[in-house]
Amino acid sequence: MKLDMEKFMLNSKLANKLYTEYAKDVPIYDYHCHLDPKEIYEDKEFSNISEIWLNGDHYKWRAMRANGIREEYITGDKTDYEKFYAWASTLDKCILNPLYHWNALELKRYFNIDEILTSKNANVIWDAVNNIKYSPRKLIEISNVNTLCTTDSPISDLKYHKLIRESNFKTNVLPGFRPDEALSIGKPKFYNFINQIPSVVGYEIKEYEDLVRALSERIKYFDENGTCVCDHGLTYMPFEKASLEEVKEIFKKALNKEGLSEKEVNKYLTRLLVDLSKEYKKYDWTMQIHFGAIRDNNKKYFEKLGYDSGFDSITDDTNLAYKLNGLLNEMVENDSLPKMIIYNLNPMYNDLIASTIANFQPNNGNMQFGAAWWFNDTKEGMLKQMKCLANNGLFSKFVGMLTDSRSFLSYTRHDYFRRILCDFIADLVERNEIPKDMDMLKELIQNICYYNAKRYFEKRGR
């Protein structure tokens, strides 16, 4: 059983031409991923396909659970082959799920296997793929990645980024600043962060100003080590104006482990995001905000397996238009609005986000409606995001796809996106909605696939 990879998701001769000649071979600028820089530096060969494919991949874990696979075959102590076979038997049932397509693209790209993995051929494919030995750097090179930006805690010493840079690896591996611990006020990871950061900065965090000072110093350190992006994972969009004195008192209450109201949390988050944005603008960073995931909902399995184990889902957000406009306006009034990409997980907010972003383009022009994310990085999700962007902004300035993944095989998501993009553009041409000007189409497609991101994330003076 095979998919025709020459025509896969390309439904016309024009779509095939656009993909093959313009999109397929341009480099990848992966501006947000969760790859481990230590693994990239050490570059150890993976022992087998399960280690690359199934370890930490909660997309596959969710599908396996939906198929009734017992947990010991997913995250438990069964052998790697038993887990691989359990995945193969699940893939039999994954028709219309993007995992079916991603799996086929990964087998073709990295192992030159045209067959679709099934429970019937699992043993043959297991032997075939495990005869090919890959390491993280080799997979990144095969994927034609020019630049990738990892996701790193403010307390990271960036040791492995430095070592990678010294090793002359041809792909740029840049740290990405992610201060979620500082944003998680009142939660265990907030207190862990408050306890750990003094050993990095050399002083205790006793006041809100101490926290801002410490984060500012870490931002400077990250900047010195090549950072051009930062990211913030929020359950919902906060906005509640407050004076500095109010925020200082809220912070003291949190340090004393006193309960905080929702309004107090929002006052703290608003102030901290605005204070951080001023630093990001100072260093010409791009500020990313991902919001809309309600996490770790199955408490029994969260206690057993921990974070990022496949028990997250989409949430809603009350009064989002008011809060997002308010937060961005607060940054404008404080002269702190940096380059920014906003990603919403709930697709019902696509038009709301895209239309709000347009309010804050004057004298900037660098606000971006982020690519379809997580539960939306499907064919339909990507098309919805692109059409919404085209309706509300400048599609030609879109910075394109990102992996947002922990897997070294996930770069096929860029290929998936590029095929969908080229088919979408070809369809518009054939409907006579845009001209069949091949020079224009080449520029449009290659910019979205790579060059827009390359230009957008480049910092002034570098």
Side-chain angles (χ1 to χ4, degrees):
M1 186 166 58
K2 298 181 180 181
L3 283 175
D4 185 349
M5 288 301 173
E6 296 300 317
K7 299 179 181 178
F8 176 59
M9 305 193 85
L10 304 169
N11 294 299
S12 67
K13 289 183 178 179
L14 178 58
N16 198 292
K17 178 181 177 66
L18 296 179
Y19 168 74
T20 303
E21 296 185 13
Y22 302 156
K24 180 181 177 182
D25 295 324
V26 295
I28 289 172
Y29 197 117
D30 189 25
Y31 50 89
H32 177 70
C33 74
H34 296 275
L35 297 179
D36 185 346
K38 182 176 185 286
E39 289 187 30
I40 297 173
Y41 172 69
E42 292 180 343
D43 200 33
K44 295 178 181 176
E45 283 190 350
F46 295 103
S47 57
N48 58 56
I49 185 64
S50 282
E51 185 181 354
I52 316 175
W53 229 359
L54 297 175
N55 287 0
D57 192 338
H58 53 78
Y59 284 83
K60 293 186 178 74
W61 294 353
R62 286 168 71 93
M64 293 167 78
R65 290 171 185 139
N67 194 38
I69 302 295
R70 299 201 307 272
E71 196 65 32
E72 58 260 39
Y73 288 88
I74 303 171
T75 60
D77 58 2
K78 292 297 181 179
T79 67
D80 286 347
Y81 178 75
E82 288 173 316
K83 291 178 179 179
F84 175 81
Y85 184 83
W87 166 239
S89 66
T90 297
L91 198 62
D92 290 344
K93 309 296 191 299
C94 278
I95 296 291
L96 301 184
N97 189 300
L99 287 165
Y100 193 81
H101 289 156
W102 296 349
N103 205 94
L105 288 169
E106 288 162 3
L107 285 177
K108 177 62 177 177
R109 180 65 180 270
Y110 300 109
F111 304 100
N112 199 30
I113 292 176
D114 294 310
E115 294 286 332
I116 299 294
L117 174 66
T118 69
S119 56
K120 294 178 181 179
N121 65 13
N123 61 330
V124 175
I125 289 183
W126 172 265
D127 291 337
V129 297
N130 288 328
N131 281 329
I132 303 172
K133 296 301 181 183
Y134 282 133
S135 66
R137 294 195 194 191
K138 183 66 174 177
L139 291 170
I140 291 169
E141 289 171 357
I142 292 172
S143 303
N144 195 23
V145 182
N146 173 275
T147 300
L148 66 88
C149 300
T150 59
T151 306
D152 305 277
S153 168
I155 63 176
S156 172
D157 61 8
L158 306 182
K159 169 185 174 181
Y160 291 102
H161 290 90
K162 296 175 184 178
L163 291 171
I164 292 168
R165 191 163 60 245
E166 292 169 1
S167 73
N168 296 316
F169 182 41
K170 70 176 184 178
T171 298
N172 299 312
V173 180
L174 307 179
F177 186 79
R178 176 108 172 201
D180 284 8
E181 301 106 317
L183 295 166
S184 301
I185 190 167
K187 297 180 180 179
K189 61 183 178 181
F190 170 80
Y191 295 110
N192 290 338
F193 177 73
I194 294 297
N195 290 332
Q196 291 172 3
I197 197 167
S199 65
V200 177
V201 296
Y203 49 85
E204 297 294 318
I205 307 299
K206 298 180 178 180
E207 305 280 350
Y208 174 74
E209 291 98 322
D210 296 332
L211 175 67
V212 174
R213 175 189 168 195
L215 290 171
S216 297
E217 289 176 7
R218 299 310 294 163
I219 289 169
K220 182 176 185 293
Y221 178 78
F222 270 63
D223 188 73
E224 291 167 349
N225 284 278
T227 297
C228 60
V229 296
C230 54
D231 188 45
H232 309 75
L234 304 172
T235 301
Y236 59 88
M237 191 65 63
F239 179 66
E240 193 76 48
K241 296 188 75 166
S243 68
L244 176 59
E245 290 304 315
E246 287 180 280
V247 174
K248 289 169 66 173
E249 288 303 312
I250 292 167
F251 188 73
K252 284 182 179 179
K253 284 181 67 176
L255 291 186
N256 293 329
K257 297 192 176 180
E258 299 176 35
L260 299 178
S261 68
E262 182 179 345
K263 180 173 283 192
E264 287 175 318
V265 170
N266 287 334
K267 286 181 177 182
Y268 168 81
L269 291 175
T270 300
R271 179 74 191 214
L272 183 56
L273 287 170
V274 172
D275 285 342
L276 288 173
S277 70
K278 198 171 190 72
E279 292 298 304
Y280 303 150
K281 184 179 180 182
K282 173 182 174 182
Y283 291 102
D284 197 29
W285 286 8
T286 297
M287 181 180 186
Q288 299 174 95
I289 295 178
H290 287 80
F291 79 98
I294 182 169
R295 298 175 186 270
D296 309 316
N297 298 286
N298 189 323
K299 300 306 178 187
K300 175 183 176 180
Y301 276 86
F302 170 65
E303 290 173 3
K304 179 180 179 181
L305 301 174
Y307 296 104
D308 303 315
S309 298
F311 300 102
D312 311 319
S313 55
I314 297 170
T315 190
D316 50 10
D317 198 336
T318 305
N319 211 9
L320 174 59
Y322 166 77
K323 293 188 292 185
L324 180 57
N325 277 283
L327 180 63
L328 296 177
N329 189 62
E330 191 77 3
M331 292 178 183
V332 171
E333 291 189 345
N334 282 273
D335 192 28
S336 66
L337 184 66
K339 293 185 290 188
M340 184 179 291
I341 307 176
I342 299 176
Y343 310 81
N344 56 292
L345 193 56
N346 193 328
M348 70 180 288
Y349 300 129
N350 279 3
D351 288 297
L352 187 159
I353 300 297
S355 64
T356 299
I357 284 171
N359 296 335
F360 298 93
Q361 295 289 18
N363 303 316
N364 183 329
N366 280 317
M367 299 291 292
Q368 285 272 337
F369 175 35
W373 167 49
W374 198 344
F375 295 108
N376 300 309
D377 54 8
T378 64
K379 177 183 176 183
E380 293 304 316
M382 290 179 185
L383 287 171
K384 285 179 182 178
Q385 186 272 345
M386 288 191 283
K387 290 176 181 179
C388 177
L389 173 56
N391 288 334
N392 289 279
L394 297 183
F395 183 60
S396 60
K397 293 190 69 175
F398 180 33
V399 294
M401 192 56 182
L402 63 162
T403 60
D404 191 29
S405 176
R406 292 165 177 80
S407 170
F408 288 96
L409 296 182
S410 64
Y411 282 106
T412 50
R413 292 185 194 176
H414 285 262
D415 188 42
Y416 184 65
F417 168 80
R418 291 174 182 190
R419 290 170 183 267
I420 293 167
L421 170 68
C422 291
D423 194 65
F424 172 52
I425 297 298
D427 184 61
L428 293 175
V429 172
E430 293 178 347
R431 291 173 181 272
N432 205 31
E433 295 184 32
I434 59 176
K436 191 176 182 179
D437 180 326
M438 301 309 290
D439 289 338
M440 179 202 74
L441 297 175
K442 176 181 179 181
E443 182 178 14
L444 174 66
I445 289 166
Q446 292 192 338
N447 279 344
I448 291 173
C449 290
Y450 174 66
Y451 291 103
N452 281 348
K454 185 176 186 297
R455 287 188 290 264
Y456 184 79
F457 295 102
E458 283 181 347
K459 297 174 56 180
R460 293 186 301 267
R462 287 193 178 179

